[in-house]
Amino acid sequence: MPSARPEADRSDDWFDAWLTDAADLAGTRQALAAAEAAGWTVLRDLHRPGSTDATVEHVAVGHGGVVVVETLRWTGEVTAQDGTLRHRGYGRTADVAAVADAAGAVTALLAPAHRRAVRAVVSLAGRDLDPAAVRGGATVVGEPQLAAHLAALETVFSADDVALVAQYLAAELGGPASPEQLTVDDVFRPPAVWQPDARAAGPREPGAPPDGPTAGSTDGSTDGEVAAATDDRPGAGGPPRYTQPANREVGGLHAGQHEDGPDRPSTAAPRGAVGDGLLRVGLLVLGLLTVGNVLLAWLDAAH
């Protein structure tokens, strides 16, 4: 294969570029390599949450937050004027929006404290272009300016945040399958779905103490609460784990849902029952009137 040849014998790089598209990828990878040298963690070729085939090209995690980077490779004139990215005079807002949608899918995986730090960046291959916000929800920048753009972002993550978020995203998006993503159906589920299921913990071992305060605790905390507090402390039995929000925290409660459990008795009649009853009465009256009119017409015809 051409990639197995020594560097000294690579005089036909144009063929390798045509075969593997390596030339187009080199600019963005070099720019992100410079960002890595400045402290950023770059994840490559990741799954897109909620999709079985779509991928995310690059996710950079650093002091400036989480940056989803996609490279667009176009020939011809490319401009970013009046807030619109144009290629050969045609608006390419749809391409920008696709990158913003990918960033939104990544945002849904993060805890609330980290969601505001997600950005979408469109890197233009082989173009010299200063960063510019364009329609579609992303920032467009030329490849040579990409590393400087990341370095200039406002600091929103600490070093611990960078390590935890990068490790979490690598595990979620770099695995063998794409992670699931919440949909509208998840938001409209009944409140009982959002409650933790005690049965998930499994049956209690014989001789185990019942739930309640531990013998050595003085503040009334249970064993599970003490264990959770211990596991979250850095250096307590292992590295800290990233806390992903529960489904309820992501989706929230629908306007028609309440904090009360599903078994609470309801004194009000269901809205659908009243409507169905009125409909049945109306149909019965209409049927009686129709039968009466038929009888009267028959009697008139008989006389």
Side-chain angles (χ1 to χ4, degrees):
M1 295 295 294
S3 58
R5 292 183 284 114
E7 293 295 333
D9 191 33
R10 297 177 64 86
S11 58
D12 53 346
D13 287 339
W14 63 271
F15 177 77
D16 294 345
W18 173 80
L19 183 64
T20 65
D21 205 27
D24 288 339
L25 293 175
T28 299
R29 288 182 176 176
Q30 289 177 357
L32 292 177
E36 285 182 299
W40 286 75
T41 300
V42 179
L43 311 175
R44 300 175 174 85
D45 299 328
L46 305 173
H47 292 290
R48 174 170 173 167
S51 176
T52 57
D53 54 356
T55 59
V56 179
E57 187 178 3
H58 298 97
V59 174
V61 184
H63 71 275
V66 179
V67 182
V68 177
V69 181
E70 293 283 347
T71 304
L72 296 182
R73 305 168 183 88
W74 292 331
T75 59
E77 183 184 14
V78 178
T79 60
Q81 296 179 353
D82 300 328
T84 301
L85 178 64
R86 298 185 181 275
H87 175 221
R88 295 180 176 177
Y90 294 94
R92 303 305 294 264
T93 302
D95 298 89
V96 178
V99 181
D101 289 343
V106 174
T107 303
L109 295 178
L110 298 176
H114 297 143
R115 291 177 194 160
R116 295 180 179 272
V118 181
R119 307 168 186 268
V121 171
V122 176
S123 175
L124 297 178
R127 306 286 176 172
D128 285 320
L129 183 66
D130 292 331
V134 293
R135 292 181 178 87
T139 299
V140 61
V141 62
E143 281 180 339
Q145 292 81 14
L146 178 58
H149 172 64
L150 295 180
L153 292 177
E154 180 184 359
T155 299
V156 294
F157 276 1
S158 65
D160 292 339
D161 288 330
V162 173
L164 287 175
V165 174
Q167 182 181 7
Y168 168 71
L169 290 180
E172 287 290 315
L173 304 180
S178 176
E180 295 182 358
Q181 190 175 31
L182 288 177
T183 63
V184 175
D185 180 65
D186 297 303
V187 179
F188 279 80
R189 290 179 181 177
V193 176
W194 307 116
Q195 302 297 334
D197 189 357
R199 294 172 298 176
R204 183 179 298 277
E205 295 294 335
D211 295 335
T214 59
S217 63
T218 58
D219 57 352
S221 60
T222 62
D223 292 336
E225 293 171 347
V226 174
T230 304
D231 291 341
D232 290 339
R233 293 199 308 265
R241 296 176 298 175
Y242 185 82
T243 303
Q244 183 185 14
N247 285 347
R248 183 177 182 183
E249 295 178 8
V250 175
L253 286 174
H254 179 243
Q257 296 176 348
H258 305 281
E259 294 288 346
D260 300 325
D263 297 333
R264 180 183 178 183
S266 177
T267 57
R271 291 178 296 177
V274 177
D276 291 343
L278 294 176
L279 178 61
R280 291 191 182 96
V281 173
L283 291 176
L284 179 60
V285 173
L286 181 62
L288 294 176
L289 292 176
T290 303
V291 172
N293 290 332
V294 171
L295 290 177
L296 290 176
W298 180 77
L299 292 174
D300 290 340
H303 292 290

